[in-house]
Amino acid sequence: MPQFLLPVLAFATTWGILVLTPGTETALVIRLGISVGRTTATGAVLGIATGLTLWGFGTAFGLSALISTSRPLFLGLEWACAGYLLYLAVRLFINVLKAHPRQAEAHGGYTPQAFWSGFQRGALTTVLNPLVGVFDLTAFPQFIPPGVSVLSYSFLLLIVQVILTLLWYFTLVIMAVSLSRFLARPAIIRMLDTLTGLVFVFFAVRLLLNP
């Protein structure tokens, strides 16, 4: 195996462990897959991948470094992300208080509105999370071997990052949609919305309290 590929495998292992760790994106994809539908959940996954791509490009071209070294910019992103998560949580809690939680689409059909709704949620959740940029900023240099083009190798790591993310979250979509046949009942959806909302609140508070 070429030596320059070993760091790629090490990076893939590191990112694979992180992407498997439950977080806001995981909660979002599972909730959409079970209680809304395949189309919206698929849009969320592609939105998450787009957010990762933007952070990867930002790291490669120095934007992430600028954000991480500028306290006002970093805090602004943290507060924006926390605010967006709280907004999503409030929407979920309002849905819980309704007598019959609304399902935005049929599980089998495709509608552009449903897709873009999920895409927007996934993209904003990732783009507004400065911790993704901090990870790329700190991890990429550690896995770039000497003697290679830093820019080209950064893009290679980004491709690995996006592929692993897509594989895992699309797996979650398939499992969530399959489970929806048994779990898409009003009482269960309300419980799922409550749990997802609490997850969003937890991560929002953690961002706000981050020193």
Side-chain angles (χ1 to χ4, degrees):
M1 178 182 296
Q3 286 295 113
F4 76 92
L5 286 180
L6 291 177
V8 175
L9 294 177
F11 176 81
T13 301
T14 302
W15 178 251
I17 293 172
L18 287 176
V19 81
L20 288 174
T21 304
T24 53
E25 287 89 352
T26 302
L28 179 67
V29 170
I30 292 176
R31 188 264 172 184
L32 292 177
I34 290 178
S35 62
V36 182
R38 180 187 299 110
T39 298
T40 307
T42 298
V45 172
L46 295 178
I48 292 167
T50 300
L52 280 176
T53 302
L54 292 175
W55 275 116
F57 272 87
T59 300
F61 291 105
L63 178 60
S64 297
L66 175 63
I67 292 174
S68 65
T69 55
S70 172
R71 189 63 177 169
L73 283 176
F74 191 83
L75 282 176
L77 267 178
E78 281 192 325
W79 281 71
C81 183
Y84 182 65
L85 291 176
L86 290 174
Y87 163 75
L88 292 179
V90 168
R91 287 186 58 180
L92 289 172
F93 293 147
I94 291 174
N95 200 43
V96 169
L97 295 176
K98 294 180 180 178
H100 301 286
R102 180 177 61 87
Q103 288 184 276
E105 60 158 322
H107 280 78
Y110 171 84
T111 62
Q113 182 179 4
F115 175 86
W116 287 111
S117 173
F119 183 89
Q120 180 187 40
R121 290 185 231 182
L124 284 175
T125 301
T126 304
V127 167
L128 292 177
N129 187 358
L131 300 180
V132 177
V134 171
F135 170 83
D136 286 355
L137 182 65
T138 56
F140 277 21
Q142 297 181 40
F143 293 98
I144 298 177
V148 301
S149 169
V150 173
L151 186 61
S152 299
Y153 211 88
S154 295
F155 288 145
L156 177 59
L157 296 180
L158 173 60
I159 291 171
V160 171
Q161 190 177 34
V162 171
I163 289 175
L164 289 176
T165 299
L166 288 173
L167 287 174
W168 172 239
Y169 286 124
F170 275 133
T171 300
L172 284 182
V173 170
I174 293 171
M175 292 190 297
V177 172
S178 299
L179 289 173
S180 68
R181 300 172 186 174
F182 310 100
L183 301 180
R185 302 172 183 174
I188 295 178
I189 290 176
R190 281 195 292 269
M191 181 180 67
L192 179 64
D193 284 354
T194 300
L195 291 174
T196 305
L198 290 174
V199 169
F200 289 162
V201 170
F202 169 78
F203 282 102
V205 171
R206 195 172 75 166
L207 281 172
L208 292 174
L209 297 179
N210 186 47

